[in-house]
Amino acid sequence: LEQRIKELQDRQGAAAELEDKVRSQTGLLAAKDQEIEALMHALDEEEMQMEELTKKYEALEKAVQQKNQEIESLESSRGKVMKKLS
């Protein structure tokens, strides 16, 4: 009976250690979950910023194309004027 009590006490001690480990791992898991959530939020913000920058880039590229067309038109007009002058 004493041997059986000793075994049960040993098992109880081991169970308590395992419970502590489970609590510790649960805490680490919760911290990692929060970290992941924060990273996902940051990623969403970065994606929104990238979309905005892409739109700005496309608008600027369109403006550059329009300016290039205007320059070509002006150069063409200049060429015609130069011919007339000469």
Side-chain angles (χ1 to χ4, degrees):
L1 184 60
E2 288 176 8
Q3 184 179 356
R4 183 74 175 144
I5 290 173
K6 174 76 171 133
E7 287 175 11
L8 289 174
Q9 287 173 339
D10 290 345
R11 287 184 184 175
Q12 187 178 14
E17 287 179 21
L18 289 174
E19 284 178 11
D20 288 343
K21 286 183 181 179
V22 167
R23 280 191 208 103
S24 173
Q25 293 298 319
T26 301
L28 290 173
L29 181 60
K32 289 295 180 183
D33 282 344
Q34 288 178 348
E35 185 179 349
I36 289 170
E37 191 66 34
L39 289 171
M40 292 297 287
H41 181 69
L43 181 61
D44 288 343
E45 288 180 8
E46 290 289 327
E47 286 177 350
M48 288 184 348
Q49 289 177 357
M50 286 298 294
E51 287 176 11
E52 289 175 16
L53 289 173
T54 300
K55 288 177 184 176
K56 286 181 183 179
Y57 173 80
E58 290 171 353
L60 288 172
E61 182 143 334
K62 193 173 186 178
V64 167
Q65 288 175 353
Q66 288 175 343
K67 294 296 179 186
N68 282 338
Q69 288 176 350
E70 289 174 14
I71 289 171
E72 288 174 8
S73 176
L74 289 171
E75 287 176 347
S76 175
S77 295
R78 182 179 174 264
K80 290 176 184 176
V81 168
M82 293 302 284
K83 279 185 180 180
K84 287 183 180 179
L85 288 174
S86 65

